[in-house]
């Protein structure tokens, strides 16, 4: 009751939702000292949802990944209904693409949910933050699913091996990140270890894939290695924005609503996922146009 009266008397203005400056918001919303204005705070869930249409410093963070969710939902339907049948794909192709794009959708939805509801209370903010971080890891691990399936298409033993490893990594990630102690400082090292494992793991199947196809000069490697490199460059660029808080660090208060580091991080993540989806389709097309040789199948 106290909280509710607080919302109606102090926090809400006549024509909508009040916005606060950095110094006035609760400590759990003070994650970025270079964003000075445009904060929402103390909102009940219904007003959090209403704030979707209020121009705050979270508006672009919410919408970039909400739109991202609908893009990947559309691609999931389109791939299953149009693209995969075009190549006379099997049920396994449908499963691979559905899992892959569902991971992206999960990532987008958790992120949009976090930015939408973080202004409710500390408890809700932490719960959604756990989901947001879990979503990032699941989205990253989702990238491995079609990549491993089509890259090791002719090496079924290794294909199964890497798919099992990726599935285990996903389960461990979800278990760890939804654990109540995940966000505590005591788990800082485990958090770092998990992120390094999720990102760094990719080097192992990529190196193995190059070796199995005969080295760097093999046509398939020459065609697809640059696509992997672009993905890593996009990932590093996104992480640089995330970690350095650039550009707001250089001009505090000037990019509160448009152009802040977190918005760049969001947009680059969507671009990276779209790039990987596009590359996955080319790899699938390549596999259907170039059937496995007996030699490849035997050596797996
Ligand atoms: Zn975010």
């Amino acid at each position: 009751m106290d909280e509710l009266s607080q919302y109606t008397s102090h926090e809400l203005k006549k024509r909508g939702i009040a916005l606060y400056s950095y110094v006035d918001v609760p400590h759990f919303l003070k994650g970025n000292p270079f964003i000075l204005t445009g904060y929402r705070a103390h909102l009940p869930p219904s007003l959090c949802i209403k704030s979707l249409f209020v121009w705050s410093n979270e508006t672009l963070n919410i919408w970039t990944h909400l739109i991202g969710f609908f893009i990947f939902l559309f691609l999931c339907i389109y791939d299953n209904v149009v693209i995969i049948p075009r190549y006379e794909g099997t049920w396994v192709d449908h499963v691979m693409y559905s899992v892959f794009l569902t991971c992206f959708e999960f990532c987008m939805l958790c992120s949009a949910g976090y930015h939408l509801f973080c202004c409710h209370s500390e408890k809700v903010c932490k719960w959604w933050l756990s989901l947001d971080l879990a979503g990032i890891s699941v989205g990253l691990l989702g990238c491995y699913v079609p990549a491993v399936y089509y890259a090791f298409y002719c090496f079924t033993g290794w294909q199964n091996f890497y798919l099992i490893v990726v599935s285990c990594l996903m389960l461990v990630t979800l278990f760890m990140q939804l654990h109540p102690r995940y966000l505590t400082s005591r788990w800082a090292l485990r958090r770092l270890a998990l992120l390094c494992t999720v990102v760094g793991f990719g080097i192992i199947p990529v190196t193995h894939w190059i070796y199995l196809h005969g080295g760097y000069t093999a046509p398939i490697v020459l065609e697809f290695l640059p696509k992997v490199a672009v993905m890593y460059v996009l990932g590093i660029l996104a992480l640089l924005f995330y970690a350095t808080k650039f550009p707001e660090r250089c001009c505090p208060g000037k990019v509160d609503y448009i152009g802040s580091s977190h918005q760049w991080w969001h947009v680059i993540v969507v671009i990276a996922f779209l790039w990987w989806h596009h590359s996955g389709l080319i790899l699938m097309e390549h596999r259907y146009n170039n059937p496995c040789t007996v030699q490849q199948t035997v050596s797996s």
Side-chain angles (χ1 to χ4, degrees), residues 58 61 64-65 111-112 114-115 132 136 242 262-263 265-266:
E58 291 284 21
N61 286 333
T64 44
H65 279 182
S111 169
Y114 165 67
H115 289 286
D132 184 25
I136 293 167
Y242 188 92
H262 205 84
Q263 294 164 356
W265 149 261
H266 271 216

Side-chain angles (χ1 to χ4, degrees), residues 254-296:
K254 293 280 189 290
V255 289
D256 290 353
Y257 293 83
I258 303 180
S260 66
S261 61
H262 205 84
Q263 294 164 356
W264 285 108
W265 149 261
H266 271 216
V267 170
I268 297 169
V269 165
V270 174
I271 292 171
F273 283 175
L274 282 171
W275 170 257
W276 202 236
H277 170 260
H278 170 72
S279 305
L281 287 182
I282 296 173
L283 189 57
M284 180 176 78
E285 188 184 354
H286 180 94
R287 272 298 152 222
Y288 281 103
N289 294 333
N290 300 275
C292 304
T293 61
V294 177
Q295 191 193 359
Q296 282 176 324

Side-chain angles (χ1 to χ4, degrees), residues 108-120:
M108 296 287 113
L109 212 53
C110 290
S111 169
Y114 165 67
H115 289 286
L116 187 59
F117 293 109
C118 64
C119 61
H120 174 65

Side-chain angles (χ1 to χ4, degrees), residues 18 30 35 41 82 93 113-114 117 128 131 157 162 169 183 191 218 230 238-239 249 270 276 281 287 291 295:
K30 293 191 175 190
I35 301 290
V82 178
D93 295 301
Y114 165 67
F117 293 109
W128 274 104
L131 269 181
Y162 284 119
L169 265 175
L183 293 174
R191 283 200 297 272
V230 168
L239 277 173
R249 167 182 296 279
V270 174
W276 202 236
L281 287 182
R287 272 298 152 222
Q295 191 193 359

Side-chain angles (χ1 to χ4, degrees), residues 137 172-173 176-177 182 190-198:
S137 298
V172 171
T173 298
M176 269 185 75
Q177 299 211 327
Y182 183 74
R190 291 183 203 190
R191 283 200 297 272
L192 189 66
L194 183 67
L195 187 68
C196 290
T197 309
V198 168

